[in-house]
Structure formats: structure tokens, C-alpha cells
Amino acid sequence: MFDRLAVLPQYLLPKRMLTVFAGKCAASHARWWTRRVIPWFIARYRVNMAEAADPGAAGYTSFNDFFTRALREGARPLAQADFVSPVDGAVIQCGPIEGDQLLQAKGHRYSTRALVGGDGQLAARFDDGQFASLYLSPQDYHRIHMPCDGRLVRMIHVPGHLFSVNPTTVRGVPGLFARNERVVCVFDSAGGPFVMCLVGATIVGSIATVWHGVVNPPRLAAVREWQYDDQTISLRQGEEMGRFLLGSTVIMLFPKNMLRLHADWVPARTVRMGEAMSSAFLALA
């Protein structure tokens, strides 16, 4: 009950207007702005700049440049595993998909069909599979990498709300991840198909992928889709696939019998990009 009451103001806030404003501020190259906001952000959120390729705040020409900063060589070695964490963050929920239902938080579930934008045929491929939802907090590294080798098949931009995705909101807003704006990326791999869903949030100025660039804006009312059957866009494990311009959540979907997440992947666990997520492919039924 407390969580639901705590998120009530979000239903009233002009979230889209705030997000547009935040996006313009984050993209600004005004030196008076960047010289103030970047050092403040580093101090406020205790960002570990020693890991950055450019550790000096003065080297970034906009807040977006800083927020999507590259890491120094070797900062995130890849584990010897078939699947690795695609991001730095914390596990929101993970484990089995019960039929088509994903666990958001205690008392809240949502369907794979709703998450991927209403495509029942696509969603059915993940019935009784596995999922992992990962939250990127403000101090985290905000580039998104491949959990395994994959070939891009489709990308779907699903318009939606822009609720916050912090833990209180996850517990307080039913169906949050299937209500917020999101970009659904569908891949094929040696073990089968998988989905990486990049979920937007309040003040997330945009979501970008390496093959498309910025997907949003524009923020249109209708679902948009891109097919890549006539192209070969293949990415290796650990390669960057996208980034958040201000942070949010990544949700991964895997089909039944493709993998089993490590036992220590549990809610609230901190993860780092490149660490082992699952040690082996399982035989597809």
C-alpha cells in the first residue's frame, strides 16, 4: 500500500514534458552547464570515474557524452560463459517465465505479449522460458552489450508511458514494464531466439542502438517496426548493442530449455557487464 501511495504523484506529473526538457539539457554543449552538472552528478552518485576511458569531467562536451562514457580497456573482462550480463546494474527479478507471465514484483505480473508490443506469435516463443530484468541506476555504466553472439532479426519501438523505474515504482505500478515506452530487439543465436527489451523511463531522453542510432525521439503514437531479414547485422558476445541517454531497465527473454540462470542471480543482486549469467546452452526441446 505504501508503494502505491508513493507513486501516485507520478500519475499527475507531466512526464513527457519533463523527459523532453531533460533530454534537451542532457544534449546541451553549453560549457557553463556541463562544468557544473557533470562534477555535481559524479559527487552526488559517487560515480567511479577511474573506470572511464576519460576519467576527467572536463573532457565531456555534454552530459549525454558523460553519461554514455566508454570504459577503459580491460575494465569489464568477459567471463568464460555462454551468456554474460549485458549491463552494470541490479537484478530486479529473474527466473522462469510461468506460461507467458513475468514477475515484476510481489503481487505484480505482466505478459510477454504485452512486453513485446502485442505480437502473440513472437511472445509464444518464450512460453515457459527464462527471463532477467536488470535495473541501471544513475551511477552505473549505461552502455548495453550482447549477452552472447547474436544476429539481429527485428526491432520494435513500442510507445508508452514514462514512469520512473526505481524500485518503489516497480513495486507500486502494475504492469510497469509493459506500460512504459520500450525498444524490443529480437535476435537469433546458436541456441535459439532471444529478446533484449530496453525500457524507457521518466527523463530518459532517448534510447539508441548501434545499428540504428537514436530510436526515440520521435515519440509517435503507433508501434514502429524494422525487419532485418535482408541485412546481416551480427554482434559478438560483449559487443555494444545500444545505450540509454539517462538510465533505465533491460529485460531479456529466452525460450524454454535454452539456458538456466546461475543460482546466485537473485533479486537485488548487483551485476557487472561481462560476468557469467549462465554457464552453458541447454539442448532445445
Side-chain angles (χ1 to χ4, degrees):
M1 179 61 73
F2 171 79
D3 293 323
R4 293 202 177 193
L5 291 174
V7 301
L8 280 179
Q10 292 195 46
Y11 287 90
L12 304 175
L13 284 171
K15 296 181 288 294
R16 192 168 299 275
M17 186 183 301
L18 288 172
T19 299
V20 171
F21 176 73
K24 289 181 178 179
C25 290
S28 172
H29 291 266
R31 292 301 295 165
W32 66 268
W33 166 252
T34 57
R35 282 198 298 263
R36 287 166 176 79
V37 71
I38 294 175
W40 172 85
F41 191 94
I42 291 169
R44 171 66 178 80
Y45 292 104
R46 299 181 180 179
V47 178
N48 182 5
M49 293 302 291
E51 295 183 327
D54 183 353
Y60 299 95
T61 61
S62 72
F63 185 81
N64 277 341
D65 289 341
F66 156 73
F67 200 77
T68 59
R69 62 196 174 275
L71 297 180
R72 60 174 171 76
E73 188 72 26
R76 295 292 184 276
L78 294 183
Q80 295 296 311
D82 286 311
F83 298 89
V84 298
S85 174
V87 295
D88 285 8
V91 177
I92 303 170
Q93 294 289 341
C94 64
I97 301 170
E98 297 183 0
D100 68 345
Q101 294 293 299
L102 303 169
L103 180 63
Q104 176 178 303
K106 184 177 180 179
H108 294 310
R109 291 184 180 273
Y110 59 103
S111 71
T112 52
R113 180 170 183 167
L115 182 69
V116 301
D119 186 332
Q121 187 174 4
L122 171 61
R125 303 178 78 180
F126 304 100
D127 285 355
D128 299 310
Q130 295 276 318
F131 82 102
S133 304
L134 307 176
Y135 169 64
L136 287 70
S137 65
Q139 70 265 35
D140 287 324
Y141 168 64
H142 276 81
R143 297 191 184 190
I144 308 158
H145 297 254
M146 293 292 288
C148 61
D149 294 354
R151 179 183 178 276
L152 182 67
V153 177
R154 297 168 65 188
M155 182 173 73
I156 309 162
H157 173 238
V158 185
H161 297 282
L162 291 167
F163 287 102
S164 169
V165 291
N166 64 35
T168 298
T169 312
V170 170
R171 295 189 299 267
V173 176
L176 172 65
F177 300 125
R179 296 172 72 172
N180 269 15
E181 179 180 30
R182 53 207 180 275
V183 175
V184 180
C185 304
V186 185
F187 293 92
D188 273 337
S189 74
F194 67 95
V195 159
M196 296 183 72
C197 181
L198 317 183
V199 184
T202 309
I203 76 167
V204 176
S206 62
I207 299 168
T209 65
V210 297
W211 58 86
H212 183 92
V214 173
V215 180
N216 62 323
R219 288 186 164 92
L220 305 178
V223 171
R224 294 182 291 156
E225 181 174 345
W226 295 262
Q227 297 275 355
Y228 297 97
D229 296 330
D230 60 344
Q231 302 178 51
T232 302
I233 301 176
S234 297
L235 297 171
R236 304 285 293 175
Q237 183 184 62
E239 278 192 73
E240 182 186 346
M241 60 79 62
R243 60 185 67 178
F244 289 115
L245 279 73
L246 301 181
S248 191
T249 298
V250 174
I251 301 173
M252 294 176 286
L253 306 178
F254 301 96
K256 185 178 181 180
N257 296 327
M258 183 172 175
L259 60 78
R260 185 177 297 112
L261 296 170
H262 282 317
D264 62 352
W265 272 56
V266 294
R269 184 189 189 278
T270 299
V271 297
R272 284 162 65 92
M273 195 285 287
E275 74 171 67
M277 182 170 69
S278 176
S279 57
F281 285 105
L282 301 179
L284 284 173

